[in-house]
Amino acid sequence: MAATQIAKHIGARVIGTASVGKHDEMRALGVDHLIDYRTEDFEKRTRDITAGRGVELILDAVGGESWKKGYRVLAATGRLGMFGVSSLASGKERNILSMLSMLANIPWFQFNPLGLMNANKGVFGVNVGHMWDEIDRLRGWGEALMELAARGIIRPKVAATFKFDDAPKAHHFIQDRRNIGKVLLVP
């Protein structure tokens, strides 16, 4: 949501993926084009929306096959930002086959230096959990986000709150993909 709000603030056109039940809320956030990832191929629809040009930036928390498709739909000088691998958790139970499928679909050889240069594309990953020694950088990013929130550019949304004792219910709420916004645990 924050990425959409920032993108709209700088004048970007936003293409988003969500199940159809979330489209109205996503449209209200400013998403210009919505793709139902359950029934539509986001690669094909994105090409249609952009008249084949592709997009400048993709933020992908899914992983696996989604990274491949996202990379293919980048415009020249476009960037694919990878910050999660939700496809590892295909359900509420551990599924080794799902995990192996996701690993097999990672574009291991597509993201090599020569391939990136020749395609005029970039790929980057973010794992804030590995940046504990970058406190000044994290603080700067946090302050910039707080300033945007103070100006009303970023408007966080809380989908639901759960008591700490109900953490498993909160997790199920997220796994069932019922949230649009953050899920908070409270004492």
Side-chain angles (χ1 to χ4, degrees), residues 33-156:
H33 301 277
L34 284 151
I35 300 169
D36 180 356
Y37 68 89
R38 293 179 180 181
T39 61
E40 299 177 273
D41 178 357
F42 84 82
E43 181 180 4
K44 180 187 179 321
R45 280 277 289 129
T46 301
R47 290 206 179 284
D48 291 344
I49 292 165
T50 64
R53 182 185 181 282
V55 297
E56 296 296 324
L57 175 65
I58 292 180
L59 300 176
D60 190 314
V62 177
E65 182 68 23
S66 181
W67 288 343
K68 287 181 182 178
K69 289 180 172 193
Y71 181 79
R72 288 193 301 255
V73 81
L74 289 175
T77 72
R79 293 151 327 272
L80 169 61
M82 303 172 293
F83 64 98
V85 200
S86 67
S87 62
L88 279 175
S90 62
K92 293 182 182 180
E93 301 294 323
R94 183 174 291 163
N95 184 331
I96 299 298
L97 287 177
S98 177
M99 185 184 321
L100 292 173
S101 173
M102 191 286 303
L103 290 171
N105 279 305
I106 290 177
W108 298 103
F109 302 108
Q110 197 169 11
F111 300 162
N112 64 72
L114 290 176
L116 292 171
M117 286 189 315
N118 288 333
N120 292 305
K121 297 179 181 181
V123 176
F124 65 94
V126 176
N127 185 337
V128 178
H130 294 284
M131 296 186 69
W132 292 112
D133 58 342
E134 298 281 347
I135 297 301
D136 289 338
R137 179 180 272 177
L138 293 170
R139 183 178 292 115
W141 293 340
E143 288 170 356
L145 291 172
M146 293 304 290
E147 193 269 328
L148 291 173
R151 292 175 45 203
I153 294 165
I154 298 176
R155 296 168 309 283

Side-chain angles (χ1 to χ4, degrees), residues 89-93 168 170-179:
S90 62
K92 293 182 182 180
E93 301 294 323
H171 213 274
H172 286 291
F173 186 78
I174 294 168
Q175 285 180 317
D176 291 339
R177 298 181 175 183
R178 293 175 48 205
N179 63 303

Side-chain angles (χ1 to χ4, degrees), residues 1 4-5 8 22-34 153 155 157 180:
M1 287 184 172
T4 295
Q5 292 165 345
K8 295 307 293 182
K22 296 181 179 182
H23 283 198
D24 287 342
E25 190 135 2
M26 301 303 290
R27 199 170 284 110
L29 278 170
V31 176
D32 298 291
H33 301 277
L34 284 151
I153 294 165
R155 296 168 309 283
K157 176 179 171 53
I180 298 176

